């Protein structure tokens, strides 16, 4: 399994190239699933699990790994299927999302593939509202489903969306109503979290699903004679998105003189492997790990005060 993870060390070279590496795995059955290697810390044979009373059925137990206690989530149960059996022959993908480490129990791990985000597409429109997919792609004529991990984590351990007292004051809220923020995220759960946070601040919000859609939106604004960097307070963008990722979106915006001064905050669950050098490489203004409502609200409040010179 160590050989499988060798390419993880090269992952930072993908920044700004609209490329990603997917770790492919299976649950029960032939369906292939994928997870971004950026989120993966380690892959190992399923260790001994200790059952946690009163925990979610999705949590099969906790494991002691590298001196830390990590919850192990059964992705089969999480996506509405039967629990994985024979844990001794199963694998655990150790990941870091939103500054938290957890393991995902899977039947088998296949390999790592290098792909272009343009080959990753939103789920088919007929999938319905209750699906657990954030994107799909094809590999060797086989459909690969990319699971919306943020939705699963939000259901297993909901994150508070309450903004603490004092983060927003009356003056800021009175100024906020004239401000417009563009948000971009392919996860429906993450999009709603950000939307509710910004609505509490009081700004107008436009929410889009991926980087390509956001770039087209901004170009249409500019083509119609509008000035995106003056009419929008800021862009809050996820990094991992089908069609076009947040790095490439930022690069495209910075290369267009009609919008290159737009304030860009990259808001992502890539907390464990992200660093400020990557932010500078693509020209983003700021980076924030998901999902901390106080921190996100504070960033928007700061932008409002700067915009109004206060």
């Amino acid at each position: 399994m160590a050989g499988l993870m060798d390419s993880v060390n090269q992952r930072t070279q993908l920044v700004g190239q609209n490329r990603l590496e997917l770790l492919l795995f299976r649950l029960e059955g032939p369906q292939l699933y994928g997870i971004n290697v950026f989120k993966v810390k380690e892959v190992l044979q399923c260790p001994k699990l200790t059952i946690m009373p009163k925990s979610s059925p999705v949590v099969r137990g906790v494991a002691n790994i590298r001196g830390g206690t990590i919850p192990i989530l059964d992705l089969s149960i999480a996506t509405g299927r039967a629990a994985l059996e024979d844990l001794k022959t199963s694998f655990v993908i150790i990941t870091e999302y939103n500054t938290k480490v957890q393991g995902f129990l899977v039947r088998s791990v296949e390999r790592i593939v290098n792909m272009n985000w343009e080959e990753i597409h939103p789920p088919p429109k007929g999938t319905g509202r209750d699906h657990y997919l954030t994107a799909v792609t094809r590999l060797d004529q086989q459909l690969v489903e990319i699971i919306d991990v943020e939705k699963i984590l939000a259901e297993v351990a909901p994150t508070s969306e309450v903004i603490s007292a004092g983060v927003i004051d009356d003056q800021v809220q009175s100024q906020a109503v004239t401000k417009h923020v563009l948000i971009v995220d392919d996860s429906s759960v993450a999009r709603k979290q950000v939307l509710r946070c910004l609505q509490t601040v009081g700004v107008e919000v436009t929410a889009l699903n991926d980087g390509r859609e956001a770039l087209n939106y901004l170009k249409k604004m500019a083509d119609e004679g509008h000035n995106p960097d003056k009419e929008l307070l800021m862009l809050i963008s996820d990094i991992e998105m089908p069609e076009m990722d947040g790095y490439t979106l930022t690069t495209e915006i910075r290369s267009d003189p009609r919008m290159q001064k737009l304030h860009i905050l990259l808001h992502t669950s890539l907390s464990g492997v992200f660093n400020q050098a990557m932010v500078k490489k693509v020209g983003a203004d700021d980076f924030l790990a998901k999902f901390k409502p106080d921190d996100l609200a504070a960033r928007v409040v700061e932008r409002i005060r700067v915009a109004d010179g206060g």
Side-chain angles (χ1 to χ4, degrees):
M1 197 57 63
L4 178 66
M5 299 304 294
D6 284 346
S7 66
V8 176
N9 294 329
Q10 306 301 320
R11 58 195 169 194
T12 55
Q13 296 179 11
L14 303 177
V15 175
Q17 299 176 24
N18 207 38
R19 299 195 68 83
L20 79 157
E21 287 180 318
L22 285 179
L23 174 62
L24 303 180
F25 63 91
R26 299 182 198 269
L27 302 175
E28 299 290 10
Q31 177 61 53
L32 262 181
Y33 298 92
I35 185 172
N36 194 334
V37 170
F38 258 120
K39 304 288 182 64
V40 177
K41 296 170 69 70
E42 188 176 4
V43 177
L44 66 160
Q45 202 86 38
C46 183
K48 181 181 178 181
L49 302 183
T50 301
I51 305 301
M52 295 295 290
K54 299 182 180 180
S55 63
S56 164
V58 174
V59 181
R60 296 292 294 271
V62 297
N64 191 283
I65 300 173
R66 310 272 183 257
T69 302
I70 298 175
I72 307 300
L73 283 61
D74 188 329
L75 279 186
S76 187
I77 298 176
T79 53
R81 299 168 178 84
L84 291 174
E85 300 178 1
D86 194 7
L87 298 189
K88 291 182 180 179
T89 61
S90 297
F91 289 85
V92 170
I93 303 172
I94 306 298
T95 66
E96 183 165 359
Y97 279 80
N98 305 347
T99 71
K100 296 179 181 178
V101 176
Q102 54 279 307
F104 295 128
L105 185 68
V106 301
R107 165 57 59 218
S108 63
V109 177
E110 302 287 315
R111 66 191 192 276
I112 289 174
V113 293
N114 189 309
M115 303 189 73
N116 193 300
W117 273 111
E118 291 179 351
E119 302 172 69
I120 313 295
H121 306 290
K125 291 185 177 180
T127 313
R129 291 186 174 183
D130 297 325
H131 66 80
Y132 287 86
L133 303 183
T134 188
V136 297
T137 189
R138 284 199 170 272
L139 186 69
D140 301 328
Q141 303 304 311
Q142 185 172 2
L143 184 70
V144 178
E145 298 184 349
I146 302 172
I147 294 175
D148 188 346
V149 174
E150 292 179 76
K151 180 175 181 178
I152 290 172
L153 294 178
E155 291 177 354
V156 173
T159 301
S160 172
E161 298 181 7
V162 177
I163 299 174
S164 302
V167 176
I168 312 166
D169 58 35
D170 291 341
Q171 180 181 356
V172 165
Q173 284 202 305
S174 66
Q175 296 168 319
V177 295
T178 64
K179 305 296 186 289
H180 186 186
V181 175
L182 179 63
I183 66 174
V184 193
D185 203 304
D186 64 317
S187 168
S188 60
V189 167
R191 203 163 52 245
K192 289 173 184 175
Q193 287 174 333
V194 176
L195 181 62
R196 286 190 285 262
C197 178
L198 299 195
Q199 286 174 336
T200 302
V201 175
V203 296
E204 179 187 352
V205 181
T206 295
L208 303 177
N209 297 346
D210 62 67
R212 178 74 63 193
E213 191 177 1
L215 184 62
N216 290 340
Y217 177 90
L218 292 168
K219 284 185 173 181
K220 187 171 185 288
M221 280 186 70
D223 290 344
E224 293 175 350
H226 299 284
N227 192 332
D229 55 33
K230 289 185 178 179
E231 296 189 24
L232 293 173
L233 179 70
M234 62 194 302
L235 165 67
I236 301 174
S237 176
D238 186 22
I239 290 178
E240 295 180 278
M241 295 179 289
E243 307 287 356
M244 178 182 288
D245 68 14
Y247 297 136
T248 307
L249 172 60
T250 302
T251 302
E252 291 286 338
I253 291 171
R254 292 295 182 244
S255 67
D256 190 326
R258 302 175 300 171
M259 62 183 78
Q260 63 186 184
K261 294 181 180 179
L262 178 63
H263 187 92
I264 301 173
L265 168 65
L266 293 178
H267 185 236
T268 175
S269 55
L270 292 171
S271 52
V273 296
F274 199 92
N275 58 59
Q276 291 300 321
M278 293 182 183
V279 174
K280 293 176 182 177
K281 180 173 181 177
V282 296
D285 295 284
D286 203 357
F287 161 76
L288 183 63
K290 293 177 180 176
F291 171 68
K292 301 175 181 177
D294 281 359
D295 291 348
L296 181 57
R299 293 295 210 284
V300 179
V301 167
E302 180 183 354
R303 284 294 304 151
I304 292 171
R305 288 177 172 151
V306 168
D308 285 0

